[in-house]
């Protein structure tokens, strides 16, 4: 059995004048949400053997905040191919993970993470929530009935957790007009 956890970067700032999308930082709400997610991961005692992340600024800043809440820093493998990767590219990445890793955390972007979640998982109530909306700083955790990552296939995993920041603090939900 393998466990895969996907974390979408926290809310970024569109007000910050940057030359490239890759360089967009988090906004204040995104920082708060990422720190809260980190604290929640700690309360759930989630542990990761291997972390792979997009090197986009908003992902780096998300992880800094998550690790602050989590209480310890894990060093990711920075993989530029994760920047705006499609679900099929992410699945290729999953299938090439080291088998020694039992619980992997991927940190990146939508729509790839949402699409990968929906592609890998079987129907259940959590999957319905993910299909409805996969907001920033959301965690999706799934178990895969495999011994080797290369065996990861569509519609084979069970979504066991789907945690949105607004589930932990309603003020971290969508802005109201």
């Amino acid at each position: 059995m393998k466990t895969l956890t996907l974390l979408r970067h926290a809310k970024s700032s569109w007000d910050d004048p940057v030359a490239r999308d890759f360089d967009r930082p988090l906004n204040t709400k995104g920082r708060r949400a990422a720190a809260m997610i980190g604290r929640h991961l700690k309360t759930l005692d989630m542990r990761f053997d291997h972390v792979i992340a997009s090197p986009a600024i908003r992902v780096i800043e998300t992880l800094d905040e998550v690790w602050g809440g989590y209480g310890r820093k894990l060093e990711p493998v920075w993989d530029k191919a994760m920047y705006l990767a499609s679900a099929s590219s992410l699945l290729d990445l999953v299938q090439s993970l080291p088998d020694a890793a039992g619980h992997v955390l991927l940190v990146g972007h939508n729509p790839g993470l949402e699409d990968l979640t929906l592609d890998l998982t079987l129907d259940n109530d959590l999957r319905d929530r993910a299909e409805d909306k996969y907001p920033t700083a959301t965690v999706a955790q799934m178990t895969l009935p495999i011994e080797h990552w290369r065996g990861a296939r569509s519609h084979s995993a069970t979504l066991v957790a789907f945690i949105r920041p607004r589930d932990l603090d309603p003020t971290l939900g969508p802005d109201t007009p």
Side-chain angles (χ1 to χ4, degrees):
M1 180 77 67
K2 301 287 187 186
T3 303
L4 179 64
T5 300
L6 308 179
L7 170 62
R8 182 178 175 199
H9 69 78
K11 192 163 191 60
S12 60
S13 175
W14 287 93
D15 297 332
D16 200 309
V18 294
R20 304 180 312 161
D21 174 71
F22 189 86
D23 297 325
R24 259 188 308 117
L26 295 184
N27 66 19
T28 302
K29 189 176 188 179
R31 290 183 183 285
R32 281 185 32 236
M36 178 164 286
I37 287 294
R39 288 189 297 275
H40 193 68
L41 294 177
K42 182 179 181 177
T43 64
L44 296 175
D45 199 29
M46 283 194 193
R47 297 169 192 232
F48 310 102
D49 303 316
H50 195 67
V51 180
I52 302 177
S54 161
I57 297 301
R58 59 192 177 270
V59 173
I60 293 169
E61 291 182 354
T62 295
L63 280 175
D64 286 345
E65 296 295 333
V66 166
W67 297 150
Y70 187 68
R72 70 183 193 127
K73 183 176 182 172
L74 302 175
E75 289 299 327
V77 172
W78 300 106
D79 187 343
K80 193 161 185 169
M82 283 196 62
Y83 176 66
L84 304 179
S86 67
S88 65
S89 294
L90 292 171
L91 180 57
D92 289 344
L93 177 71
V94 168
Q95 291 171 333
S96 68
L97 289 168
D99 285 328
H103 189 167
V104 173
L105 173 65
L106 297 183
V107 189
H109 311 268
N110 257 8
L113 291 180
E114 178 178 354
D115 292 345
L116 180 64
T117 299
L118 298 176
D119 179 57
L120 284 176
T121 57
L122 300 162
D123 288 338
N124 68 17
D125 290 342
L126 290 176
R127 187 181 185 284
D128 291 345
R129 287 180 55 208
E131 191 170 24
D132 181 48
K133 181 97 169 136
Y134 197 120
T136 53
T138 291
V139 173
Q141 184 178 76
M142 62 197 78
T143 56
L144 294 91
I146 56 175
E147 290 184 39
H148 305 282
W149 288 105
R150 68 180 174 270
R153 299 285 179 264
S154 296
H155 309 295
S156 65
T158 301
L159 192 58
V160 296
F162 187 72
I163 306 156
R164 302 170 301 183
R166 69 177 171 217
D167 297 332
L168 307 174
D169 179 349
T171 68
L172 294 172
D175 294 329
T176 54

